[in-house]
Amino acid sequence: MRITLLIAGAAIAGAAAAAPKSDPLSAWLYNLEFPLPDAHGVVDGVDVSLTQATCTHAQIKSLEATGYQTTISINTKDAALDCAFSWAYQTQHLKGNGRASASLLVKKAAASIILNASQETRPRPISSSLRNCSAAAKVTALKVKGGLTGALLELLAPWIERKLSGEVGPALCGTLKPLVDANLTRLIRTTTALASTCAMKARRRNERDLQQAGAASRSDLLDWRTPRVTA
């Protein structure tokens, strides 16, 4: 099942910088970057805002993937994430702004990848979609640069942490969905077309050619939803 996830990562990845692991899936997750929506609020009379927030450098401690028929269920535990953002505040007499960074822990996350099949005697995968994506995050460390210190930082820090924690899950799922729905679907269709071409060529050969080609070339193996064991 991890092979499937590696293919998915390769399909939806863009240009990636160096990551701490050579595993393609880990490298893709580490280099994935997604934005958070701007947040504005009032805390005890202080106007505060978070803008230009982005998160990246995801590192997953535990990943489990299980498959049943056309569904791949994915569950992760203890994923670390780094976010950076701009902050600003204003009171009746004071105002300030600066940059900040935060480390977050996504204790649990889950999603399903649905593979849609063609309407044929031997169905073929033709597309994929991300469903039931959820992730719960919590800020574990907050580092602020600028004039947000002392009592003012103590006042605003809980609001900042709560906003970041609440936005990371929906933003992550919102980023992953079009990547799975579009990029992975494109790879699936390309792979299915190549498999169909190979099967058509195999059927044109005589019995001896098929035996020499081996079980991997037999057209009956294109029934991708039926488990089977071949020698």
Side-chain angles (χ1 to χ4, degrees):
M1 191 56 61
R2 187 171 178 84
I3 294 175
T4 302
L5 296 177
L6 291 175
I7 293 174
I12 55 186
K21 296 181 180 180
S22 58
D23 179 342
L25 178 59
S26 297
W28 178 78
L29 289 170
Y30 185 83
N31 288 285
L32 178 67
E33 182 175 315
F34 60 94
L36 301 182
D38 294 346
H40 305 274
V42 179
V43 182
D44 288 352
V46 179
D47 292 322
V48 58
S49 63
L50 306 180
T51 59
Q52 300 177 328
T54 58
C55 297
T56 187
H57 297 165
Q59 299 185 68
I60 297 176
K61 184 177 181 180
S62 172
L63 185 150
E64 178 181 308
T66 57
Y68 177 73
Q69 293 186 349
T70 61
T71 301
I72 302 172
S73 298
I74 304 168
N75 293 277
T76 69
K77 294 181 180 179
D78 299 332
L81 197 66
D82 295 328
C83 298
F85 57 93
S86 296
W87 58 265
Y89 76 89
Q90 184 171 350
T91 68
Q92 187 175 356
H93 304 290
L94 299 172
K95 64 179 180 179
N97 61 77
R99 291 287 295 173
S101 60
S103 298
L104 292 92
L105 177 67
V106 181
K107 192 65 178 178
K108 292 183 179 181
S112 297
I113 297 178
I114 308 299
L115 300 177
N116 303 305
S118 61
Q119 301 298 318
E120 299 174 285
T121 303
R122 296 187 181 278
R124 298 173 299 164
I126 56 175
S127 65
S128 62
S129 60
L130 187 71
R131 307 275 182 85
N132 305 320
C133 182
S134 63
K138 181 180 180 180
V139 173
T140 57
L142 181 65
K143 184 177 181 181
V144 180
K145 298 179 181 179
L148 191 59
T149 59
L152 187 58
L153 177 58
E154 292 182 6
L155 174 66
L156 299 182
W159 182 89
I160 293 173
E161 293 177 359
R162 187 168 60 253
K163 285 296 181 181
L164 287 175
S165 298
E167 295 292 352
V168 163
L172 175 60
C173 290
T175 298
L176 291 175
K177 183 169 177 55
L179 296 179
V180 172
D181 291 3
N183 294 28
L184 183 55
T185 289
R186 184 163 54 248
L187 178 63
I188 287 173
R189 290 179 177 176
T190 299
T191 303
T192 298
L194 289 173
S196 298
T197 300
C198 290
M200 291 177 63
K201 290 180 178 180
R203 281 194 294 266
R204 297 190 187 105
R205 297 173 183 152
N206 59 33
E207 185 63 25
R208 188 176 64 179
D209 290 332
L210 286 174
Q211 292 175 354
Q212 291 176 348
S217 300
R218 296 209 311 269
S219 59
D220 63 315
L221 294 185
L222 289 178
D223 185 357
W224 64 285
R225 293 193 301 185
T226 302
R228 67 183 69 221
V229 177
T230 58

